[in-house]
Amino acid sequence: MHRGSRLTLTMFLAWGSAFPVGAMNAALLGSEIHDSRTGPCLDEVTVSAWTRYAKAGRAIFVEGHGFGTAPVLSIQSEREPGGRRVPAESSDSNYLTALLPESTPAGPLMVHVESGQCQSAPFWLNDPAVWWVWPETGRPGSAVRLFGQALNDPSVHIELNGPGGVRSLKADIDASNQFAARVVLPATLRSGFYRLRLASGAAHGPNDSFSLEIKAPANEPVRRAHDTAGLLRALEVLRRTGGVVRLSAGRYLLKDPLQIPQDVVIVGEGADSTELRFGPKLRRTAGLVRSSDGDYPSRFTSPEIVLGREGPDALAAVLMFGSHAGLVGLTVDGGGVAQLGIAIAGSKERRLSAILIRDVRIQNLAPDAYYHPGLTEAILARHVDNLTVEQAQLFGGGPALFLEDIAGCDIEKNVLSGGGEGVITGRDGGVHHCIVEDNLFLSKVDGQEQAVRMIWFSTLFGSTYENYIAGNNGSDFHPPPNTDQNRGEAILLETALSHPYFGHPISASLDTISLPAQGPLWSLLGSNLSIRGTRLSDYFVVVLSGRGRGQVRRLVARDRQTLTVAMPWRTVPDADSAVVLTELNYHNIIVDNVIHGAMMGIVLWLNGIENIIAGNRLSNLDREGILIYSDAIGGPQNRTPTWPIGASNMAGFNRGIGPSYFNTVQGNIVDGASIGINVAAGDFETIHGPIDWPTSTGNIVRDNLVEFATGWAFRVGERLKYAVNPSNVPGHMLIGNIVENNRVGRASGGLLAGPRNDGLVILNNQFDVSSSDVGDQSLPRRAWRRNLGWLVQGNGGEAQIGAPDNAHNRP
């Protein structure tokens, strides 16, 4: 490890009101940088991934290439055009850590890495960014929500480009929440397609512009019904035209499932006034659920079921097989017979869109006699775009909501309860662009089986990306007695880890990557919708090592051996880069949730890249309050070019490569846990053999409060005990993780950091611990810096920072 030295470099740079940040960024990107003494720079310095947001006095981690032995950061801002130069605190040729000076101005910062006579292209710190918007189809005068980072910057505003020209819109910002904003569209907008663009501060890439369709509300036919016969007649009439069925207050008795046609919404007088009750001889519906054999490979190759004709059947009360359908203002009573309250069931070939459930109570469903995904939910939703469930009361025998392959949803202000693996379960397909906000989660009601999780999103057959889980409240999530006790995570984002490819590309361009003809499992990347698998657009490519390390891009298209990525590479990988194609937990925002009582609080299990866990209040937990876990499981690496793909782990079983990069854990309160916050990595090399890349890099743990931890308040390192001493294994499994400005109150230990950790930053934490006995796990600060290359600075109670001797390592 090397401490950077100061260099002097002349930069041709203009800054001022006539040369805004964005224009300067555009001018410098791709331009040749010259040193004032020696002319053109011949050695390449690239930056591929970095800490995106950091205040003055905080640490950042940067990955790239060609950093040399003494890199320096050159930092400029609009408030400080002359800039400043900051030496790296620690570095090697591929990464560095640095501290922003206390006087660093707020707002976007443009940064270069300088090494010798060379410097990188600029990259940005603290610039506002929009990751996704909701909804993608709106009405004049309606609101659009934006999700991303630094959206509480006062300079944030929105440009709307479409019919009628360009309009500038001011975002409605909650100053306390930098991750979400709201924009009200003008009531005078014409129907058509628009582009919504963030217009603030630094220039952004092509992903800062989003498509938005505006549709003026249409006059819909309305039929009224006062009894069951009238309801059925109204549905039959509107089957041809679409429209609204308005039900009077009262009870409507039904002996068969009620199928709501496409473009039809049933509206009652309120959940307390209008009731649909289903009788004891409810007819079964085929094709709603899958085989319960539980065998992943055979399920992967099984044909897509056909609704109403093949596949296991289920007792469902309400069926929605068409788009633009809904239920509003009524109760669905299953009569103790129906297993499913509402089945919203599309298919890969025929996805559903625009489904509305509002002010609906689902109750009195059959108990969950045995576990079966998709059989005993209050609401089952499969292959749906734009699902809204709000102000509802959902009481399922199993989960309240079972989500499979959902693109866009708003699950808001509901009371949710149900047994099974999670009150909201997303297990058998991807979930993205979903809002789960301000819901009350009840782990059990009226003697039903207790739910073991509040929210469980798994990447089996899809990725979990760009979701907003905020302001929810739940308690008492533990495994029931005499059951599997390795459950009970209140919010769990878990990765199944199927990999179409692991190895090296043959080439790459600005927005593509090409793979060798032999090696990839091309069948996983095909367009065959008749088999059950992950769609191409739910796979991500992650650069694990070599040029471009740390970058992640989602796939959007395939042309033979060439795959197109959703956003151009900043640093184009080459044939020596190691890449993995995988499902991923990416850009999820988990904020301001309140959880009391669980085995664990919030968990990213086996992978996660650039997720946010912020402002949550977690209490009374048996194990970790927050766990970010990475691993590589199932090797050895040199088995086949597609390791770890094999007959037994094509999808599922938690086997594969699971990196954790640049996740942020910020401003949370953990009150009562065995470990407050744990950034952990499975040490693959001590079990299976060498890999030449870390699985945990650039994760940030800052501004958190941990109280009453029975063990260590913070841990950064391995999570399990290993037979091989990690001190004898070369390389590192964790690099550049940052633990800063946290507080610990009355814990048994402050921070425990494991071996095979490089570039670790432990900065300005305050440890108020109840015990001073750390035995042979304590190390003097000087030994840390001399032997491990860590930055340990400004911490109160530093005796409570431990680096374990592996002979005494505790699991």
Side-chain angles (χ1 to χ4, degrees):
M1 310 297 291
H2 307 279
R3 184 176 178 85
S5 60
R6 291 190 176 275
L7 300 172
T8 302
L9 189 69
T10 301
M11 298 181 59
F12 297 97
L13 176 64
W15 197 309
S17 58
F19 203 150
V21 179
M24 183 186 63
N25 186 41
L28 287 177
L29 280 174
S31 63
E32 185 178 43
I33 304 301
H34 292 264
D35 179 79
S36 61
R37 297 163 296 172
T38 61
C41 176
L42 301 179
D43 297 325
E44 182 185 44
V45 179
T46 65
V47 170
S48 53
W50 64 94
T51 303
R52 300 292 178 135
Y53 300 90
K55 297 178 182 179
R58 305 298 176 88
I60 65 170
F61 172 68
V62 183
E63 290 188 288
H65 176 75
F67 288 2
T69 59
V72 173
L73 297 183
S74 172
I75 302 175
Q76 290 87 32
S77 76
E78 191 171 13
R79 299 180 183 179
E80 194 177 51
R84 61 184 65 208
R85 305 177 73 257
V86 179
E89 293 288 339
S90 61
S91 69
D92 77 357
S93 62
N94 296 313
Y95 57 87
L96 64 84
T97 59
L99 298 184
L100 298 181
E102 291 289 350
S103 58
T104 302
L109 304 172
M110 191 185 72
V111 187
H112 302 79
V113 174
E114 299 177 0
S115 178
Q117 299 174 4
C118 309
Q119 70 173 340
S120 70
F123 62 96
W124 290 93
L125 296 177
N126 305 329
D127 56 319
V130 176
W131 291 347
W132 60 287
V133 302
W134 166 268
E136 294 179 355
T137 300
R139 295 181 174 182
S142 65
V144 174
R145 299 188 67 183
L146 300 85
F147 302 96
Q149 286 195 278
L151 296 180
N152 59 352
D153 188 296
S155 68
V156 167
H157 67 280
I158 305 299
E159 288 182 356
L160 189 66
N161 190 354
V166 179
R167 300 167 183 249
S168 181
L169 309 177
K170 183 64 178 176
D172 178 14
I173 296 170
D174 179 354
S176 65
N177 184 357
Q178 63 174 300
F179 310 111
R182 183 174 175 268
V183 173
V184 177
L185 302 174
T188 57
L189 288 183
R190 303 201 305 262
S191 295
F193 289 91
Y194 292 76
R195 297 297 296 179
L196 194 69
R197 189 179 77 86
L198 177 69
S200 171
H204 296 272
N207 209 32
D208 71 343
S209 180
F210 301 88
S211 176
L212 183 67
E213 183 181 10
I214 300 298
K215 288 184 177 180
N219 293 324
E220 300 174 310
V222 177
R223 304 282 296 188
R224 297 188 177 275
H226 308 286
D227 54 28
T228 303
L231 166 61
L232 298 178
R233 284 195 302 270
L235 291 177
E236 190 60 35
V237 170
L238 294 179
R239 189 178 301 275
R240 299 184 294 273
T241 63
V244 176
V245 179
R246 292 200 171 272
L247 298 182
S248 301
R251 178 175 293 166
Y252 297 75
L253 301 176
L254 296 127
K255 59 182 179 180
D256 291 324
L258 181 68
Q259 183 171 343
I260 302 178
Q262 181 166 314
D263 300 319
V264 173
V265 177
I266 298 177
V267 179
E269 295 289 336
D272 293 329
S273 301
T274 303
E275 179 184 295
L276 306 178
R277 175 170 292 187
F278 293 82
K281 296 183 179 181
L282 183 65
R283 178 170 52 85
R284 291 180 173 271
T285 302
L288 293 180
V289 297
R290 311 217 178 258
S291 169
S292 61
D293 55 27
D295 180 60
Y296 285 100
S298 67
R299 291 175 68 191
F300 176 82
T301 57
S302 66
E304 185 77 5
I305 59 177
V306 179
L307 293 171
R309 288 193 292 150
E310 61 182 60
D313 55 16
L315 288 165
V318 178
L319 305 173
M320 294 185 185
F321 296 164
S323 298
H324 301 93
L327 279 179
V328 177
L330 52 78
T331 288
V332 176
D333 189 298
V337 175
Q339 298 166 304
L340 287 166
I342 303 172
I344 307 164
S347 66
K348 283 188 175 180
E349 296 88 347
R350 188 171 179 272
R351 298 179 62 83
L352 305 185
S353 64
I355 302 297
L356 173 64
I357 308 294
R358 177 183 295 135
D359 184 26
V360 168
R361 180 188 298 128
I362 299 178
Q363 63 185 26
N364 199 17
L365 299 179
D368 187 10
Y370 64 98
Y371 174 66
H372 188 308
L375 183 61
T376 57
E377 289 75 32
I379 295 178
L380 165 69
R382 298 177 53 244
H383 306 302
V384 180
D385 301 326
N386 301 331
L387 167 68
T388 298
V389 181
E390 60 185 16
Q391 301 175 32
Q393 302 171 60
L394 308 180
F395 305 108
L401 277 159
F402 189 96
L403 306 177
E404 177 182 345
D405 189 16
I406 303 298
C409 71
D410 188 0
I411 302 169
E412 192 171 350
K413 295 182 175 64
N414 304 287
V415 178
L416 307 172
S417 179
E421 295 297 302
V423 176
I424 295 180
T425 296
R427 181 182 183 274
D428 285 357
V431 176
H432 69 271
H433 293 178
C434 276
I435 301 166
V436 182
E437 186 174 20
D438 293 339
N439 301 286
L440 175 62
F441 287 81
L442 307 176
S443 62
K444 58 184 176 181
V445 173
D446 297 332
Q448 292 178 339
E449 181 183 352
Q450 177 171 313
V452 299
R453 299 180 182 96
M454 186 167 121
I455 298 171
W456 178 33
F457 286 159
S458 169
T459 66
L460 184 63
F461 306 119
S463 288
T464 300
Y465 68 94
E466 293 174 353
N467 299 292
Y468 185 70
I469 302 172
N472 301 286
N473 194 308
S475 62
D476 193 19
F477 294 96
H478 294 87
N482 304 316
T483 65
D484 178 9
Q485 295 298 295
N486 194 29
R487 299 180 294 170
E489 309 92 340
I491 299 177
L492 171 63
L493 273 56
E494 180 180 26
T495 313
L497 293 177
S498 68
H499 301 327
Y501 182 68
F502 164 70
H504 302 282
I506 57 175
S507 64
S509 68
L510 188 62
D511 58 359
T512 68
I513 187 164
S514 298
L515 305 180
Q518 302 299 318
L521 292 178
W522 293 110
S523 61
L524 297 186
L525 299 172
S527 57
N528 185 358
L529 297 180
S530 67
I531 64 172
R532 189 157 187 238
T534 298
R535 72 176 83 186
L536 176 72
S537 60
D538 263 40
Y539 279 117
F540 290 77
V541 56
V542 181
V543 184
L544 300 170
S545 67
R547 181 179 170 88
R549 184 177 77 175
Q551 293 177 109
V552 55
R553 297 292 187 271
R554 188 169 58 86
L555 301 181
V556 293
R558 174 190 167 194
D559 181 8
R560 287 181 263 186
Q561 293 171 234
T562 298
L563 303 167
T564 301
V565 295
M567 192 172 78
W569 300 105
R570 175 182 171 84
T571 301
V572 178
D574 61 23
D576 293 326
S577 303
V579 302
V580 62
L581 272 59
T582 184
E583 294 126 339
L584 199 62
N585 295 315
Y586 175 71
H587 272 184
N588 296 290
I589 302 171
I590 306 173
V591 297
D592 297 334
N593 300 283
V594 178
I595 298 166
H596 177 76
M599 181 191 75
M600 300 168 71
I602 299 172
V603 179
L604 300 180
W605 182 254
L606 286 182
N607 82 25
I609 295 182
E610 296 181 26
N611 299 283
I612 307 294
I613 302 173
N616 302 282
R617 299 178 62 91
L618 315 172
S619 60
N620 192 26
L621 306 162
D622 298 333
R623 299 184 191 174
E624 284 99 334
I626 297 172
L627 170 64
I628 296 176
Y629 185 63
S630 63
D631 210 339
I633 305 173
Q637 182 187 14
N638 58 2
R639 236 169 136 179
T640 69
T642 57
W643 173 85
I645 292 295
S648 64
N649 64 341
M650 194 169 292
F653 296 106
N654 293 151
R655 297 170 66 84
I657 300 168
S660 293
Y661 296 166
F662 295 98
N663 298 290
T664 299
V665 181
Q666 174 179 308
N668 303 281
I669 297 175
V670 180
D671 184 359
S674 62
I675 298 173
I677 298 172
N678 193 359
V679 177
D683 199 346
F684 180 91
E685 294 192 55
T686 66
I687 302 174
H688 295 293
I691 56 176
D692 59 1
W693 32 266
T695 62
S696 175
T697 64
N699 298 293
I700 298 173
V701 179
R702 64 161 66 114
D703 300 324
N704 302 283
L705 170 63
V706 175
E707 294 191 291
F708 296 105
T710 58
W712 293 92
F714 301 96
R715 288 187 65 166
V716 182
E718 77 293 336
R719 192 168 185 254
L720 302 173
K721 187 182 294 183
Y722 299 105
V724 177
N725 189 334
S727 299
N728 298 328
V729 179
H732 304 94
M733 62 179 179
L734 303 101
I735 294 178
N737 293 301
I738 298 170
V739 183
E740 62 183 3
N741 290 74
N742 301 284
R743 290 187 299 139
V744 176
R746 290 164 288 185
S748 295
L751 185 147
L752 178 64
R756 305 193 59 240
N757 238 317
D758 196 18
L760 176 63
V761 175
I762 306 171
L763 178 68
N764 295 335
N765 302 284
Q766 184 63 44
F767 301 121
D768 178 12
V769 295
S770 58
S771 171
S772 61
D773 181 14
V774 294
D776 58 7
Q777 291 186 326
S778 64
L779 279 179
R781 173 177 166 181
R782 289 189 302 276
W784 283 51
R785 293 203 65 163
R786 183 176 67 251
N787 296 334
L788 300 174
W790 298 350
L791 171 61
V792 183
Q793 179 174 306
N795 300 287
E798 284 189 70
Q800 286 302 308
I801 303 174
D805 175 355
N806 285 280
H808 302 87
N809 187 21
R810 292 179 283 184

